[in-house]
Structures are given as structure tokens and as C-alpha cells.
Amino acid sequence: MKICVGVFFGGKSTEHEISCISANQALHAINAEKYDVLPIYISRDNEFYIGDELFDLANYADILKDPGAHLSKVTLYKDGNTVKVRPVKGLFKKEIQIDVAFPIVHGTNVEDGSLAGYLQMLDLPYTSCDVLGGALGQDKAAMKDIFKAQEIPMVDYFVIYNADFEENYSDYFAKAKEIGFPLIAKPANLGSSIGIEVIKTQKEFKEKISECLRYDFKVVVERMIKDLMEVNISLIGGSEEVRCSAIEEVTNGFLDFDKKYQPGGAKGSKKLGNKAGVKNAASKGMASTIRKVPADLSDEKRNEIQQIAIKAFRALNSFGCVRIDFMIDKETDKVYCNEINTIPGSLAFYLWKEEGVSFDEECDILIRNALNRYARRSRKTYAFDTNILDNYKKK
Ligand SMILES: Nc1ncnc2c1ncn2[C@@H]1O[C@H](COP(=O)(O)OP(=O)(O)O)[C@@H](O)[C@H]1O
Ligand SMILES: [Mg+2]
């Protein structure tokens, strides 16, 4: 019998649709001769669905409007040593056993450790970060504090809390002036440039931070790099072993959500030019990201980025396939670690392809790593027999 891989995607997140696109790419990349592939769609209401229509992205516009009209609702449960998908409502009537979960979810309520916690409770092996890794990867303030403790280079930053913004305004403002304007303010828990504000002058500080605090309870404020080169690297592995991909340069990282993901959205953006190696649109999900793979970097810089990335990967308790994004200040040539994406768009397959790892091989490695982690963890002791409760028995 083949191993059954449940590909989980969607969820109650602003990046719901991007996750559908990323997942669909993987559904077709996972080697069907080796694995049974079961798409498990999580609706915006956190309902779980299965159905053959999920294999074709052309159906998704209709599915998202009314999942119940197209798919069968399911629930997952543990049955002895196995995990089963049980139909609850809809055409599908048979139970299916799944052996490993392949989460391809982005953003809050899913990628932030929530889905990992659910899978962990089900005792199902899964390909992505565990609860801690997912949570640290989602919260920019927690992530940066961990990076700082590990002396990973970052631009100067501080965190503003909604709860005491008014009360401690003068302290916050003093910190901002100390770093110097322009600044960038980011809601701690969002992605895809949602809610990010550029604060050009002192005069704008209060208004822009208040705007940012509409999105989150915490906002990260940092020095804005004026002459910026953005480079990203993917890593695959876990606590024991990790491997680095090629490095890409992206030119339009700071686009708003619409421009980033709507086809044709980046028409006005600066392009890298038509140099060889410039790739447009690695996927529709990144329709407007202009990327150059590999980035033009000296061996020394590439090595520096790889070493920082490995340190960051470990510091954040990462697992699976992640992408770590860097900023290079072109004025000083200094490299700064910006953030981790614990389940990157398109699973960064285009960076692995450059290293000679095809997308189906990448998926295969992730599945094998998940099964190995599960086996390793099973060998650790999580329970031991005691007779404490015997003392409470009625004599
Ligand atoms: N300190 C900074 N200086 C200059 N540009 C920045 C800075 N921080 C972020 N940006 C720009 O904003 C984009 C989005 O910020 P990022 O921290 O990656 O958040 P997100 O989670 O929304 O991707 C980056 O890709 C980069 O283009
Ligand atoms: Mg980013």
C-alpha cells in the first residue's frame, strides 16, 4: 500500500488564496506513483473538505464561494495507531487513512503553529515546523527578539505595544528618534506587506503607528534601508541536518498585497532588466514578483548569507522547507536578516530547481524528513508508568 499524503491548505488567514495556489502546485508535484495524494481544503470557517475538484485550480473560484456545494465535509480522528479522514456531509462516504500531513498554509491561524498543534495532537507526522517554530516564524517581534539573543544581524528595531502606546508615547518617540527617520512599521503578525507603513518624518510618527496598530496589538518599528537589495534563500531540514538552496534577488518585495498577487499588478514597478537569469512569475501566486536566480553575489557574501540563515533556522526551531529573507544595505554592503517564512509561497521550488532538486524530489525529501522526525520523537519518552493514582483508590 502507498503512503497517503494529506495536503492541508486554506484556513482562516488573509493569505487563504495564496495557500490554495501553492498547494495546488504541490498536489501535482508529489510523485503519484509513490504516494496517494489527498487534498484537504480548510475553508475560511475552518471546516475541512475533500473532493476531486480540488485538483484543478480552475474550480477554486466557485469552491471558495460555497465549499459545501462542491466538496464533502470531513473530520479527522485518531484510531489506534492510525489517523482517519471521516466523511461528515456530502457525496463521499468512505473513510481514508492518512499517514503524513503536508501543510501548505500561510499566515495567522494556520502557519503560526495552530495547524501544527492540531496535527501534533492527532499524532500524525507532518512536513512543516512544529508549534514553536511556526509561532516564532509568524510573530515578527518574537522572531526578532530571538535573533537578537543569537546575535543574528538585523537592522535596529523596537516593539510598540498597543496597550501602552498613549501612556509611554514619549519613550517610544525617543526610541524612534534615536534610530532615525525614515522608519518602517510592521504589524507583528501579518505578512505579504499588509499594514506596513513607511514613516518618513517625525511628524508622521503618531498617525502612522496608530494606523499600523489597527492591524495588530504589537508593531515592529525599524530603520528603513534606503538603498536596498533584497535576497532570499530557502533551507530544508530539521534540528539534525539542514541544506541551503540557491539565493534569489527580488526587486519588488515592498508591494502591497494587490500588486504582489494580482496578475499584472506590478506594471509600474522597477524591473531588473532583461538580463539572462531574470525570471518573471515563478508561479501565478507570485505573479508580480520579479526574481533573479541566482542573485549576483560574491562567493563571500553568499557564504555569509548561508551561515546566518542556518543559524536563524536553528534559533527559530525550524523544520521542513522555509525561506529566510535578507536585506543588504547597498550603501554599506552590510547583510541583515529580515524574516523567516516557515511555509514559503510555492515552497520556493524555483530555488531548489536551481540546485538540481526537482519539485517532486523536494516534496519527497519533505515527506521522508517528516516520517523520520516522527520516528525519532516516538523514541523519546513522553510517558512513563507510575502508580500515583493507585493511592486515590477507595480502600
Ligand atoms: N527595514 C527595511 N528597510 C527597507 N525596506 C524594508 C524594510 N523592512 C521591510 N522592507 C520592505 O518591505 C517588504 C515587506 O517587509 P517584510 O518584513 O518582509 O514583511 P512581510 O511579512 O509583509 O513580507 C520587504 O520585502 C522590503 O521590501
Ligand atoms: Mg517579507
Side-chain angles (χ1 to χ4, degrees):
M1 230 168 54
K2 288 192 238 178
I3 289 175
C4 180
V5 182
V7 177
F8 291 71
F9 57 99
K12 204 174 190 170
S13 153
T14 47
E15 293 162 282
H16 183 95
E17 286 164 276
I18 313 306
S19 148
C20 293
I21 297 170
S22 288
N24 206 265
Q25 294 164 335
L27 286 176
H28 295 286
I30 296 172
N31 186 345
E33 282 175 22
K34 201 164 168 187
Y35 302 106
D36 283 330
V37 182
L38 181 71
I40 301 175
Y41 169 64
I42 310 171
S43 75
R44 286 199 169 97
D45 299 324
N46 276 353
E47 293 172 334
F48 287 36
Y49 290 94
I50 61 169
D52 285 344
E53 289 194 33
L54 292 168
F55 281 98
D56 189 351
L57 209 48
N59 299 325
Y60 278 57
D62 293 332
I63 290 176
L64 263 59
K65 278 187 206 124
D66 187 3
H70 302 267
L71 306 168
S72 298
K73 194 187 278 187
V74 295
T75 182
L76 275 75
Y77 75 102
K78 183 150 161 53
D79 187 20
N81 284 332
T82 63
V83 173
K84 294 201 175 115
V85 176
R86 171 186 282 174
V88 178
K89 217 184 209 175
L91 290 175
F92 207 84
K93 300 287 177 219
K94 225 176 61 196
E95 289 198 347
I96 303 172
Q97 179 182 320
I98 50 173
D99 305 303
V100 55
F102 200 134
I104 307 188
V105 288
H106 305 314
T108 35
N109 297 317
V110 266
E111 188 185 358
D112 58 1
S114 308
L115 182 56
Y118 175 71
L119 298 168
Q120 188 81 35
M121 286 294 292
L122 278 172
D123 201 19
L124 186 64
Y126 54 98
T127 55
S128 57
C129 290
D130 64 10
V131 174
L132 179 62
L136 289 174
Q138 184 64 36
D139 187 313
K140 289 184 186 359
M143 181 198 310
K144 282 180 188 274
D145 288 349
I146 298 267
F147 283 166
K148 195 173 179 179
Q150 297 291 324
E151 295 177 353
I152 288 166
M154 278 181 303
V155 286
D156 290 339
Y157 77 97
F158 64 98
V159 180
I160 294 181
Y161 296 88
N162 191 39
D164 69 353
F165 183 52
E166 296 290 334
E167 193 187 325
N168 292 336
Y169 181 78
S170 53
D171 290 348
Y172 285 134
F173 191 51
K175 281 187 190 169
K177 282 198 291 193
E178 198 184 318
I179 292 179
F181 290 81
L183 294 165
I184 281 223
K186 309 172 184 180
N189 282 288
L190 290 178
S192 298
S193 304
I194 297 169
I196 291 191
E197 296 281 345
V198 175
I199 312 174
K200 293 198 200 91
T201 59
Q202 293 186 17
K203 254 190 3 218
E204 292 178 353
F205 183 71
K206 193 163 200 172
E207 182 201 328
K208 292 272 169 99
I209 296 295
S210 304
E211 182 59 30
C212 230
L213 283 168
R214 285 179 45 216
Y215 291 90
D216 208 325
F217 301 104
K218 271 190 301 193
V219 164
V220 171
V221 181
E222 63 187 39
R223 178 172 75 82
M224 181 169 178
I225 298 175
K226 282 169 267 174
D227 200 1
L228 175 70
M229 177 181 186
E230 287 191 81
V231 292
N232 306 333
I233 184 169
S234 176
L235 293 96
I236 285 182
S239 54
E240 313 279 311
E241 214 184 333
V242 62
R243 181 172 170 189
C244 294
S245 75
I247 298 176
E248 66 174 333
E249 177 181 359
V250 291
T251 37
N252 51 354
F254 190 27
L255 284 175
D256 64 29
F257 188 81
D258 282 353
K259 289 197 193 116
K260 209 166 192 169
Y261 294 117
Q262 299 296 340
K267 279 192 185 114
S269 69
K270 200 176 90 198
K271 300 207 173 172
L272 267 174
N274 291 321
K275 283 183 239 157
V278 175
K279 301 211 174 94
N280 222 335
S283 68
K284 268 197 184 167
M286 303 241 140
S288 305
T289 303
I290 312 225
R291 51 186 82 253
K292 182 177 185 188
V293 190
D296 264 336
L297 293 169
S298 64
D299 289 348
E300 198 187 353
K301 266 273 165 305
R302 195 174 322 114
N303 193 35
E304 183 185 349
I305 290 166
Q306 282 175 355
Q307 294 315 312
I308 301 171
I310 291 171
K311 204 168 163 187
F313 182 92
R314 294 220 172 97
L316 295 179
N317 214 51
S318 304
F319 186 85
C321 171
V322 308
R323 198 190 72 223
I324 301 184
D325 298 350
F326 287 84
M327 300 189 290
I328 300 175
D329 188 336
K330 289 204 255 184
E331 271 175 34
T332 56
D333 206 30
K334 261 201 85 152
V335 172
Y336 298 100
C337 190
N338 181 33
E339 63 161 350
I340 192 169
N341 292 280
T342 57
I343 304 181
S346 306
L347 294 176
F349 73 85
Y350 47 88
L351 295 179
W352 292 101
K353 206 169 116 201
E354 188 68 23
E355 291 293 288
V357 179
S358 64
F359 198 7
D360 69 307
E361 279 167 344
E362 180 187 344
C363 294
D364 197 42
I365 293 168
L366 294 175
I367 293 166
R368 278 190 282 122
N369 284 356
L371 295 169
N372 287 338
R373 172 175 64 176
Y374 182 84
R376 268 202 313 276
R377 283 186 170 174
S378 305
R379 287 196 290 273
K380 296 250 180 230
T381 307
Y382 289 110
F384 51 91
D385 291 330
T386 64
N387 56 0
I388 296 171
L389 291 178
D390 283 351
N391 299 325
Y392 291 82
K393 271 187 179 170
K394 293 237 160 40
K395 296 264 159 51

